[in-house]
């Protein structure tokens, strides 16, 4: 089990890399994360929902993701509450105190899922969540040492030296664990090191002497790494060519599945910019409204930032606007939440660019889809993605919808073909669909890179570093 001193210490990346190292050796390996808290999620083939990071780790293993790789997913919808998803299905919304009590119950399905993986695979690489040393979260813990103790598994702890304070992080984390938990720790990994390793050696010696635990290795800072983020928005971009277009994504408080934009972020002809609180939308070719876990409140926030007026001005000057999932719903005329699924019961007027209305229902749509996409004056191209939404949208017709799926249709074009909405997450990952949307947005002479190849290369880059810089014997690999 890989645990970390903090969030974003490198747990997800390290697990993905170890999974790829083992898969290269012909070992049947699977990832596992008992509990994940993230608004980036993925849909399994059987219609379950898991954390996006575990889908990436399954990709590193060369296997299809299943709900048992992440039996508990928490999707925050307020500052104190979250939707609780157990083995792929939404259970209910709970506040932090309510979920803390529920953890005693949820340990059972977590252990059931873990057992299924251990029976099916030769190895299971487990990811913790946050830090195991959060004193206020220790009771009934299912995410870190609570699970490790229950399942009786060894642990390594990773820390990010790029943040600073790495020795305090590692030493302090170990010191705050119980004696049995400390005995479970087999060593440390230091992540994202820049510079001459000789300058670090005295600190490594000190850490090993003080803790009695070995430093398994020091991973370098991997420049240009393409690996989907578990939760934090990654703003790293490739060098942009002169013949590029500017794409703007307003960052909403409950933005979900912002990994949708990774193919654009890594596109050499797309200048992708995330716009945050207090910022003005600059001149652009395309504005994309992202997915949202709380669509009505995020739409209120969008208006509070005056982005609605700036979008209106953008359209007057001939710019294009796209909405994905919750962003698609915002482009319509009305969003209704009669059951209070995403907040208080009530209705919110949409931006009014598409003649659709959406009702938030009690049951989520969770499915992988494929079909065709056609824009005016363009040829029909293949499209694929996945749907995660509680809203049911009315107003689309089979004749007018730009996306034809196997058993349904999706999306709508409006405002003289300047506005496009779709429920499909991951729509940019397929080159044909990405090219079609960028052409619609005004890009010419398109040179879209192979995103799947970039994902493979990113995981291989991590695996190569693990093989070079970690003592795999100490990991039993």
């Amino acid at each position: 089990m890989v645990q970390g001193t903090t969030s974003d210490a490198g747990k997800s990346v390290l697990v993905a890399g170890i999974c790829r190292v083992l898969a290269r050796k012909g070992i049947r390996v699977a990832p596992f994360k008992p509990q994940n808290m993230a608004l980036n999620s993925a849909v399994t083939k059987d219609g379950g929902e898991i954390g996006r990071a575990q889908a990436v780790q399954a990709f590193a293993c060369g296997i299809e993701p299943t709900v048992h790789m992440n039996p508990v997913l928490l999707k925050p919808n307020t500052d104190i509450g979250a939707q609780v998803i157990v083995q792929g299905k939404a259970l209910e919304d709970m506040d932090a105190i309510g979920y803390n009590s529920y953890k005693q119950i949820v340990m059972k399905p977590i252990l059931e899922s873990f057992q299924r993986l251990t029976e099916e695979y030769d190895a299971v690489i487990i990811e913790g969540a946050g830090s195991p040393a959060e004193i206020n979260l220790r009771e009934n813990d299912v995410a870190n040492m609570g699970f490790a103790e229950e399942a009786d598994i060894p642990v390594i702890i990773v820390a990010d030296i790029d943040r600073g304070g790495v020795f305090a992080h590692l030493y302090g984390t170990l010191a705050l664990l119980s004696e049995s938990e400390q005995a479970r720790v087999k060593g440390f990994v230091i992540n994202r090191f820049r510079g001459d390793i000789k300058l670090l050696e005295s600190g490594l010696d000190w850490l090993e002497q003080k803790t009695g635990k070995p430093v398994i290795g020091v991973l370098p800072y991997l420049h240009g790494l393409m690996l989907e983020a578990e939760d934090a928005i990654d703003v790293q971009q490739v060098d942009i060519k002169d013949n590029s277009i500017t794409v703007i994504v307003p960052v909403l408080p409950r933005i979900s599945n912002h990994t949708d934009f990774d193919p654009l972020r890594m596109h050499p002809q797309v200048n992708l910019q995330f716009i945050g609180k207090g910022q003005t939308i600059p001149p652009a070719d395309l504005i994309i409204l992202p997915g949202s876990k709380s669509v009505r409140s995020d739409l209120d926030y969008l208006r509070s930032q005056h982005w609605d007026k700036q979008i209106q001005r953008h359209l007057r000057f001939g710019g294009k606007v796209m909405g994905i999932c919750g962003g698609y719903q915002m482009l319509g005329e009305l969003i209704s939440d009669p059951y209070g699924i995403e907040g208080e019961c009530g209705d919110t007027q949409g931006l009014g660019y598409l003649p659709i209305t959406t009702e938030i229902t009690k049951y989520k749509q969770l499915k992988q889809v494929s079909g065709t996409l056609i824009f005016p004056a363009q040829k029909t191209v293949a499209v694929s993605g996945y749907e995660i939404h509680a809203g049911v949208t009315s107003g689309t017709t089979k004749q007018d919808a730009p996306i034809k799926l196997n058993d349904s249709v999706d999306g709508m074009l409006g405002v003289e073909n300047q506005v496009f909405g779709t429920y499909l997450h991951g729509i940019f990952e397929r080159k044909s669909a990405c090219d079609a949307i960028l052409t619609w947005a005004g890009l010419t002479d398109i040179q879209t890179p192979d995103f799947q190849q970039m994902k493979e290369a990113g995981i291989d880059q991590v695996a190569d570093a693990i093989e070079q810089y970690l003592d795999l014997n100490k990991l039993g690999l």
Side-chain angles (χ1 to χ4, degrees), residues 309-387:
K309 302 298 183 185
Q310 293 164 32
I311 290 170
Q312 189 177 62
R313 183 177 184 274
H314 168 82
L315 286 169
R316 281 204 313 271
F317 281 87
K320 301 292 175 64
V321 175
M322 178 180 177
I324 300 176
C325 198
Y328 173 34
Q329 297 171 356
M330 292 179 190
L331 293 173
E333 296 173 346
L334 184 72
I335 304 166
S336 176
D337 190 355
Y339 307 104
I341 302 299
E342 294 188 348
E344 293 184 5
C345 299
D347 299 339
T348 297
Q349 294 297 315
L351 297 174
Y353 295 119
L354 297 176
I356 57 172
T357 59
T358 299
E359 180 177 311
I360 308 299
T361 61
K362 294 180 179 179
Y363 302 102
K364 274 188 181 182
Q365 294 287 329
L366 292 166
K367 56 185 177 180
Q368 298 179 3
V369 296
S370 61
T372 58
L373 164 67
I374 185 167
F375 284 114
Q378 290 194 42
K379 64 180 181 180
T380 301
V381 299
V383 67
S384 59
Y386 57 98
E387 294 186 34

Side-chain angles (χ1 to χ4, degrees), residues 297-308:
S297 63
D298 273 356
L299 181 52
D300 289 340
Y301 176 84
L302 183 150
R303 287 183 165 123
S304 75
Q305 299 299 305
H306 308 294
W307 289 336
D308 56 332

